[in-house]
Amino acid sequence: MLLKLIVIILLGLKCIYLHTFTITYTEINGETIARIPEVSAVATLDGLQIDYYDSVRKKLIPKQDWVAIESRNIWKDYTEIREQVRQINKINITVLMQQLNQSRGVHVYQRMYGCVWDYKTNDSDGFDQHGYDGEDFITLDLKKLRYNSPVPQGIPIVQKWNNDSQQLQLLKQYCEQDRIDWIKYFLKLGKDALERKVSPLVSLVQKNSSSPVVCHATGFYPSEVNITWLRNGEEHYEDVELGELLPNEDRTFQKTSTLSIYPDEWKKDQYVCVVEHKTGTIQKNLTEDEIRSNKSNECKMFWGERNFSRSFTNVENNHYSWK
């Protein structure tokens, strides 16, 4: 069960100047398939995984060589922080189950938070999103320093957190200063890995003549990409479904945008898939000659082989309790 949490700070090509640091915690309450940890946590920078922690190993594991070599002195402290957060999250999910009158079953609580830094303007923004059983539960508006909840069960918690001005200011400082310093630190350490640029390979794919047309971009790095459809030169949003960003095994990324219209419709007008990336812009005209069928070897390649101890410590160590 996955929680879909999307942070939209800026649109279009402006995103190429952004660096995003994210930490995601997942807490599972109840019996699950063997070997699935009760708690896991992952930190990423610009989509590249930095570390991993879970409640089975109880150890913070660096996922990049340049992080492991240069950051040994912070690893022990950071591991302790993750363990403390695990204990807080365990209390939170228990309290939430009680509020929802849930006494059994498997339930999932997730928190995703982090910061976005625009290195061109030096502007920054932050996000703090909490989810329960795959649905949004609480989100932070950092500009207004207020938490919000789309569900009634979250209102009492939001009111409590919004009254804690000290913690709200700490979150603001975390994103406007402390975490930005860490982004710069990691960018310096992993310069070659993080600043590499790989252009997307873009194809129009269709399972059969009556199926939706999929604009598939793959093999690109960094992860920021914008996929849009044009109809007769103007942006087209109807009957369009944007897919999730997915990682490839070679540490690149892939993403799709599906246009669900019948061939008779797109043959009457001019449709173009536009893929904007840091490496440039690629356009694919929707024509029969451009579409690749899933019966071809080329399509199999796309859908097969290539598919699918600073103040920051205070923020993580003082996760809000719902108790």
Side-chain angles (χ1 to χ4, degrees), residues 21-36:
F21 187 90
T22 303
I23 298 177
T24 303
Y25 284 91
T26 301
E27 172 92 29
I28 302 175
N29 188 80
E31 295 184 3
T32 61
I33 300 173
R35 297 185 180 180
I36 294 183

PDB file of all heavy atoms in Angstrom, residues 21-36:
ATOM      1  N   PHE A  21      15.345  17.917  -1.116  1.00  0.00           N
ATOM      2  CA  PHE A  21      15.755  16.918  -0.122  1.00  0.00           C
ATOM      3  C   PHE A  21      14.504  16.418   0.585  1.00  0.00           C
ATOM      4  O   PHE A  21      13.705  17.204   1.079  1.00  0.00           O
ATOM      5  CB  PHE A  21      16.729  17.523   0.898  1.00  0.00           C
ATOM      6  CG  PHE A  21      17.310  16.500   1.834  1.00  0.00           C
ATOM      7  CD1 PHE A  21      18.485  15.845   1.514  1.00  0.00           C
ATOM      8  CD2 PHE A  21      16.669  16.180   3.016  1.00  0.00           C
ATOM      9  CE1 PHE A  21      19.027  14.882   2.372  1.00  0.00           C
ATOM     10  CE2 PHE A  21      17.190  15.223   3.878  1.00  0.00           C
ATOM     11  CZ  PHE A  21      18.380  14.572   3.554  1.00  0.00           C
ATOM     12  N   THR A  22      14.336  15.094   0.616  1.00  0.00           N
ATOM     13  CA  THR A  22      13.121  14.498   1.168  1.00  0.00           C
ATOM     14  C   THR A  22      13.454  13.339   2.097  1.00  0.00           C
ATOM     15  O   THR A  22      14.335  12.536   1.797  1.00  0.00           O
ATOM     16  CB  THR A  22      12.211  13.970   0.032  1.00  0.00           C
ATOM     17  OG1 THR A  22      11.917  15.028  -0.865  1.00  0.00           O
ATOM     18  CG2 THR A  22      10.916  13.409   0.605  1.00  0.00           C
ATOM     19  N   ILE A  23      12.735  13.264   3.203  1.00  0.00           N
ATOM     20  CA  ILE A  23      12.818  12.101   4.094  1.00  0.00           C
ATOM     21  C   ILE A  23      11.421  11.520   4.223  1.00  0.00           C
ATOM     22  O   ILE A  23      10.460  12.243   4.504  1.00  0.00           O
ATOM     23  CB  ILE A  23      13.360  12.479   5.483  1.00  0.00           C
ATOM     24  CG1 ILE A  23      14.780  13.033   5.374  1.00  0.00           C
ATOM     25  CG2 ILE A  23      13.345  11.258   6.413  1.00  0.00           C
ATOM     26  CD1 ILE A  23      15.376  13.489   6.689  1.00  0.00           C
ATOM     27  N   THR A  24      11.298  10.229   4.006  1.00  0.00           N
ATOM     28  CA  THR A  24      10.006   9.561   4.071  1.00  0.00           C
ATOM     29  C   THR A  24      10.055   8.433   5.099  1.00  0.00           C
ATOM     30  O   THR A  24      10.908   7.546   5.012  1.00  0.00           O
ATOM     31  CB  THR A  24       9.616   8.967   2.706  1.00  0.00           C
ATOM     32  OG1 THR A  24       9.604  10.015   1.730  1.00  0.00           O
ATOM     33  CG2 THR A  24       8.231   8.329   2.771  1.00  0.00           C
ATOM     34  N   TYR A  25       9.151   8.493   6.061  1.00  0.00           N
ATOM     35  CA  TYR A  25       9.008   7.441   7.063  1.00  0.00           C
ATOM     36  C   TYR A  25       7.736   6.647   6.776  1.00  0.00           C
ATOM     37  O   TYR A  25       6.690   7.223   6.468  1.00  0.00           O
ATOM     38  CB  TYR A  25       8.893   8.030   8.475  1.00  0.00           C
ATOM     39  CG  TYR A  25      10.189   8.514   9.069  1.00  0.00           C
ATOM     40  CD1 TYR A  25      10.606   9.831   8.898  1.00  0.00           C
ATOM     41  CD2 TYR A  25      10.998   7.663   9.813  1.00  0.00           C
ATOM     42  CE1 TYR A  25      11.789  10.291   9.444  1.00  0.00           C
ATOM     43  CE2 TYR A  25      12.187   8.107  10.378  1.00  0.00           C
ATOM     44  CZ  TYR A  25      12.579   9.417  10.187  1.00  0.00           C
ATOM     45  OH  TYR A  25      13.751   9.857  10.734  1.00  0.00           O
ATOM     46  N   THR A  26       7.813   5.340   6.894  1.00  0.00           N
ATOM     47  CA  THR A  26       6.647   4.479   6.738  1.00  0.00           C
ATOM     48  C   THR A  26       6.530   3.581   7.964  1.00  0.00           C
ATOM     49  O   THR A  26       7.477   2.867   8.312  1.00  0.00           O
ATOM     50  CB  THR A  26       6.756   3.597   5.479  1.00  0.00           C
ATOM     51  OG1 THR A  26       6.880   4.441   4.326  1.00  0.00           O
ATOM     52  CG2 THR A  26       5.519   2.720   5.330  1.00  0.00           C
ATOM     53  N   GLU A  27       5.386   3.644   8.633  1.00  0.00           N
ATOM     54  CA  GLU A  27       5.118   2.840   9.834  1.00  0.00           C
ATOM     55  C   GLU A  27       3.949   1.908   9.543  1.00  0.00           C
ATOM     56  O   GLU A  27       2.887   2.347   9.099  1.00  0.00           O
ATOM     57  CB  GLU A  27       4.778   3.747  11.005  1.00  0.00           C
ATOM     58  CG  GLU A  27       4.290   3.008  12.240  1.00  0.00           C
ATOM     59  CD  GLU A  27       5.425   2.662  13.188  1.00  0.00           C
ATOM     60  OE1 GLU A  27       6.422   3.402  13.209  1.00  0.00           O
ATOM     61  OE2 GLU A  27       5.296   1.665  13.914  1.00  0.00           O
ATOM     62  N   ILE A  28       4.146   0.619   9.765  1.00  0.00           N
ATOM     63  CA  ILE A  28       3.103  -0.375   9.537  1.00  0.00           C
ATOM     64  C   ILE A  28       2.681  -0.975  10.865  1.00  0.00           C
ATOM     65  O   ILE A  28       3.522  -1.446  11.635  1.00  0.00           O
ATOM     66  CB  ILE A  28       3.587  -1.491   8.593  1.00  0.00           C
ATOM     67  CG1 ILE A  28       4.031  -0.903   7.249  1.00  0.00           C
ATOM     68  CG2 ILE A  28       2.487  -2.528   8.368  1.00  0.00           C
ATOM     69  CD1 ILE A  28       4.629  -1.910   6.310  1.00  0.00           C
ATOM     70  N   ASN A  29       1.396  -0.961  11.139  1.00  0.00           N
ATOM     71  CA  ASN A  29       0.864  -1.547  12.361  1.00  0.00           C
ATOM     72  C   ASN A  29       0.047  -2.783  12.003  1.00  0.00           C
ATOM     73  O   ASN A  29      -0.911  -2.709  11.253  1.00  0.00           O
ATOM     74  CB  ASN A  29      -0.022  -0.545  13.105  1.00  0.00           C
ATOM     75  CG  ASN A  29      -0.432  -1.065  14.461  1.00  0.00           C
ATOM     76  OD1 ASN A  29       0.329  -1.002  15.416  1.00  0.00           O
ATOM     77  ND2 ASN A  29      -1.645  -1.595  14.553  1.00  0.00           N
ATOM     78  N   GLY A  30       0.423  -3.924  12.547  1.00  0.00           N
ATOM     79  CA  GLY A  30      -0.279  -5.169  12.255  1.00  0.00           C
ATOM     80  C   GLY A  30       0.629  -6.162  11.564  1.00  0.00           C
ATOM     81  O   GLY A  30       1.731  -5.839  11.134  1.00  0.00           O
ATOM     82  N   GLU A  31       0.175  -7.383  11.462  1.00  0.00           N
ATOM     83  CA  GLU A  31       0.970  -8.439  10.864  1.00  0.00           C
ATOM     84  C   GLU A  31       0.976  -8.305   9.340  1.00  0.00           C
ATOM     85  O   GLU A  31      -0.052  -8.154   8.711  1.00  0.00           O
ATOM     86  CB  GLU A  31       0.417  -9.816  11.259  1.00  0.00           C
ATOM     87  CG  GLU A  31       0.529 -10.109  12.759  1.00  0.00           C
ATOM     88  CD  GLU A  31       0.054 -11.508  13.088  1.00  0.00           C
ATOM     89  OE1 GLU A  31      -0.295 -12.246  12.145  1.00  0.00           O
ATOM     90  OE2 GLU A  31       0.039 -11.847  14.285  1.00  0.00           O
ATOM     91  N   THR A  32       2.169  -8.366   8.781  1.00  0.00           N
ATOM     92  CA  THR A  32       2.328  -8.243   7.336  1.00  0.00           C
ATOM     93  C   THR A  32       3.112  -9.442   6.815  1.00  0.00           C
ATOM     94  O   THR A  32       3.490 -10.338   7.566  1.00  0.00           O
ATOM     95  CB  THR A  32       3.073  -6.952   6.969  1.00  0.00           C
ATOM     96  OG1 THR A  32       4.386  -6.987   7.563  1.00  0.00           O
ATOM     97  CG2 THR A  32       2.336  -5.737   7.486  1.00  0.00           C
ATOM     98  N   ILE A  33       3.360  -9.416   5.533  1.00  0.00           N
ATOM     99  CA  ILE A  33       4.162 -10.475   4.931  1.00  0.00           C
ATOM    100  C   ILE A  33       5.537 -10.500   5.597  1.00  0.00           C
ATOM    101  O   ILE A  33       6.095  -9.473   5.940  1.00  0.00           O
ATOM    102  CB  ILE A  33       4.312 -10.229   3.423  1.00  0.00           C
ATOM    103  CG1 ILE A  33       2.936 -10.213   2.759  1.00  0.00           C
ATOM    104  CG2 ILE A  33       5.192 -11.299   2.780  1.00  0.00           C
ATOM    105  CD1 ILE A  33       2.965  -9.826   1.309  1.00  0.00           C
ATOM    106  N   ALA A  34       6.085 -11.682   5.773  1.00  0.00           N
ATOM    107  CA  ALA A  34       7.374 -11.844   6.454  1.00  0.00           C
ATOM    108  C   ALA A  34       8.438 -10.940   5.836  1.00  0.00           C
ATOM    109  O   ALA A  34       8.477 -10.718   4.633  1.00  0.00           O
ATOM    110  CB  ALA A  34       7.817 -13.295   6.384  1.00  0.00           C
ATOM    111  N   ARG A  35       9.283 -10.411   6.717  1.00  0.00           N
ATOM    112  CA  ARG A  35      10.452  -9.612   6.352  1.00  0.00           C
ATOM    113  C   ARG A  35      10.116  -8.180   5.954  1.00  0.00           C
ATOM    114  O   ARG A  35      10.999  -7.446   5.546  1.00  0.00           O
ATOM    115  CB  ARG A  35      11.250 -10.286   5.238  1.00  0.00           C
ATOM    116  CG  ARG A  35      11.831 -11.635   5.641  1.00  0.00           C
ATOM    117  CD  ARG A  35      12.707 -12.200   4.553  1.00  0.00           C
ATOM    118  NE  ARG A  35      13.269 -13.477   4.936  1.00  0.00           N
ATOM    119  CZ  ARG A  35      14.076 -14.213   4.180  1.00  0.00           C
ATOM    120  NH1 ARG A  35      14.413 -13.757   2.972  1.00  0.00           N
ATOM    121  NH2 ARG A  35      14.546 -15.367   4.606  1.00  0.00           N
ATOM    122  N   ILE A  36       8.872  -7.769   6.026  1.00  0.00           N
ATOM    123  CA  ILE A  36       8.562  -6.359   5.804  1.00  0.00           C
ATOM    124  C   ILE A  36       8.737  -5.631   7.123  1.00  0.00           C
ATOM    125  O   ILE A  36       8.040  -5.920   8.094  1.00  0.00           O
ATOM    126  CB  ILE A  36       7.124  -6.173   5.290  1.00  0.00           C
ATOM    127  CG1 ILE A  36       6.984  -6.783   3.900  1.00  0.00           C
ATOM    128  CG2 ILE A  36       6.759  -4.701   5.258  1.00  0.00           C
ATOM    129  CD1 ILE A  36       5.625  -6.585   3.269  1.00  0.00           C
TER     130      ILE A  36
END
